[in-house]
Amino acid sequence: MSQISIILPTYNVEKYIASALESCINQTFKDIEIIVVDDCGSDKSVNIAKEYASKDDRIKIIHNEENLKLLRARCEGVKVATSPYIMFLDPDDYLELNACEECVNSLTKDTDLLCFNYFTLKQSKIQKKFFNKNHFQQKDYFVFLLKQLPDYQWSAWGKIYNRKILLTIVHQIESKLNNIKLTMAEDAVLYMHYLVFINQVTTLSKCLYVYNCDNMNSSTKTIDFTKHKSYIQDLSKVIILIQSIQNTSKYYQQLQYFAINQLKLDKVLLLYRLSKSKVLFKLYLKIKRKILLFKINNFLKTLEKL
């Protein structure tokens, strides 16, 4: 049985998917499965994936009946994964060739979550360091995350997950979604739900993931105003989903508070970009932004005592 399942939610990435798949196929650690989730795009992404699958039986392709968007596409991949550990790879990015080997060498039977650093790729690769090499119990990991604020790293990628826990999370999230489809900030939904279930966390200092800043179709970079309206709706739903998470840890609740207010701020900024000449509404949004920034900054000051 493979040790790591790498899940690629795939939608209109024909320019990049070959590099992503090759970074998986050529891993120095070979005992992996590669799951391409066809989310009903309109380009040749899946045809390219099929060509690779015909030459490597570690590649599985599953087809969604309709476009489910990023969160639910990831969930579909988790459901068919067979490895004890799962990694997400956005197919416009790629992995360092030693990524799986470095992770496997650091995993123990008690590891619930393993996190590592990444490169950003534009004209060159730049290291982005958030984690140091360490082992944490849940409480200590929460404290570590709080100490990093306002920096945070809640992306779905850059992590190794325990499949059993992730399946529990998937069923929990799907019970709340009611057919809701999310693209914007879906990482935060997955990560914040997952944190509730962790006990042991391992972090690595090495950069093992390459985040491509050149894909202007990415949801984090697009300037398409139609898409922005959809992203605003996504953020509203994500805020509600994160608010619904119950946990008694005061440290988790502080992380939750920051996440919710940061997402509210992101929503206000997007609304401001769309408001055009609506003078009174823009004034309201400016006031809302100031209130949220005050709340966030005041909250961060209280964390200095940690």
Side-chain angles (χ1 to χ4, degrees), residues 165-224:
I165 297 176
L166 200 52
L167 269 175
T168 299
I169 298 305
V170 164
H171 294 316
Q172 189 178 91
I173 291 173
E174 286 188 333
S175 70
K176 298 178 181 181
L177 283 177
N178 294 321
N179 294 320
I180 292 172
K181 301 174 182 179
L182 296 175
T183 295
M184 191 68 168
E186 48 79 35
D187 305 63
V189 175
L190 188 73
Y191 189 50
M192 292 301 293
H193 277 83
Y194 194 89
L195 288 181
V196 174
F197 290 86
I198 61 172
N199 289 309
Q200 301 273 355
V201 180
T202 297
T203 58
L204 305 179
S205 62
K206 293 185 178 180
C207 297
L208 302 176
Y209 190 98
V210 183
Y211 174 70
N212 177 21
C213 297
D214 285 333
N215 181 9
M216 296 312 296
N217 290 321
S218 167
S219 63
T220 58
K221 307 181 195 76
T222 181
I223 56 173
D224 184 312

Side-chain angles (χ1 to χ4, degrees), residues 112-141:
D112 297 321
L113 179 67
L114 184 146
C115 307
F116 47 86
N117 292 311
Y118 66 101
F119 295 99
T120 57
L121 176 65
K122 200 163 189 180
Q123 294 179 335
S124 61
K125 285 165 63 175
I126 301 172
Q127 288 189 354
K128 293 294 183 179
K129 293 275 190 174
F130 185 86
F131 301 105
N132 294 313
K133 186 174 182 180
N134 216 328
H135 295 279
F136 297 97
Q137 298 291 324
Q138 185 192 63
K139 172 191 168 184
D140 296 327
Y141 183 62

Side-chain angles (χ1 to χ4, degrees), residues 10 23 48-49 54 58 95 107 115 119 152 157 170 172 175 186 193 204-205 216 226 235 242 244 247 256 280 290:
T10 300
S23 78
I48 294 169
S54 69
R58 295 176 300 170
L95 297 171
L107 288 168
C115 307
F119 295 99
Y152 53 87
W157 49 261
V170 164
Q172 189 178 91
S175 70
E186 48 79 35
H193 277 83
L204 305 179
S205 62
M216 296 312 296
T226 301
L235 285 170
I242 293 177
S244 74
N247 190 271
Q256 189 178 30
L280 289 178
K290 286 183 179 180

Side-chain angles (χ1 to χ4, degrees), residues 6-10 17 20-21 24 34-38 89-91:
I6 306 174
I7 297 173
L8 293 80
T10 300
I17 192 168
L21 288 172
C24 298
I34 304 158
I35 301 172
V36 175
V37 183
D38 170 17
L89 171 61
D90 289 351

Side-chain angles (χ1 to χ4, degrees), residues 27-201:
Q27 286 292 305
T28 55
F29 181 80
K30 302 297 184 184
D31 195 8
I32 63 175
E33 72 172 352
I34 304 158
I35 301 172
V36 175
V37 183
D38 170 17
D39 203 26
C40 304
S42 58
D43 69 359
K44 298 177 182 178
S45 300
V46 176
N47 290 335
I48 294 169
K50 286 178 179 177
E51 289 180 21
Y52 279 93
S54 69
K55 301 171 186 175
D56 193 323
D57 60 9
R58 295 176 300 170
I59 300 175
K60 300 178 181 177
I61 301 177
I62 64 171
H63 303 277
N64 294 338
E65 293 183 1
E66 61 179 332
N67 175 237
L68 298 179
K69 296 194 177 178
L70 202 45
L71 179 58
R72 291 177 62 195
R74 292 191 201 279
C75 291
E76 293 304 308
V78 172
K79 292 174 189 176
V80 302
T82 60
S83 309
Y85 296 100
I86 288 176
M87 176 192 294
F88 294 110
L89 171 61
D90 289 351
D92 51 350
D93 303 331
Y94 62 89
L95 297 171
E96 291 290 283
L97 297 185
N98 63 336
C100 290
E101 182 177 4
E102 291 288 345
C103 291
V104 165
N105 289 340
S106 299
L107 288 168
T108 71
K109 63 181 180 65
D110 297 320
T111 302
D112 297 321
L113 179 67
L114 184 146
C115 307
F116 47 86
N117 292 311
Y118 66 101
F119 295 99
T120 57
L121 176 65
K122 200 163 189 180
Q123 294 179 335
S124 61
K125 285 165 63 175
I126 301 172
Q127 288 189 354
K128 293 294 183 179
K129 293 275 190 174
F130 185 86
F131 301 105
N132 294 313
K133 186 174 182 180
N134 216 328
H135 295 279
F136 297 97
Q137 298 291 324
Q138 185 192 63
K139 172 191 168 184
D140 296 327
Y141 183 62
F142 290 167
V143 171
F144 163 76
L145 293 178
L146 288 167
K147 286 182 177 179
Q148 306 309 305
L149 295 177
D151 293 331
Y152 53 87
Q153 216 280 323
W154 60 28
S155 59
W157 49 261
K159 300 171 180 67
I160 295 278
Y161 303 86
N162 180 298
R163 175 179 167 271
K164 290 181 179 179
I165 297 176
L166 200 52
L167 269 175
T168 299
I169 298 305
V170 164
H171 294 316
Q172 189 178 91
I173 291 173
E174 286 188 333
S175 70
K176 298 178 181 181
L177 283 177
N178 294 321
N179 294 320
I180 292 172
K181 301 174 182 179
L182 296 175
T183 295
M184 191 68 168
E186 48 79 35
D187 305 63
V189 175
L190 188 73
Y191 189 50
M192 292 301 293
H193 277 83
Y194 194 89
L195 288 181
V196 174
F197 290 86
I198 61 172
N199 289 309
Q200 301 273 355
V201 180

Side-chain angles (χ1 to χ4, degrees), residues 188-189 192-193 238-245 256 259-260 263:
V189 175
M192 292 301 293
H193 277 83
V238 166
I239 290 165
I240 292 170
L241 286 168
I242 293 177
Q243 286 174 329
S244 74
I245 303 171
Q256 189 178 30
I260 289 167
L263 290 164

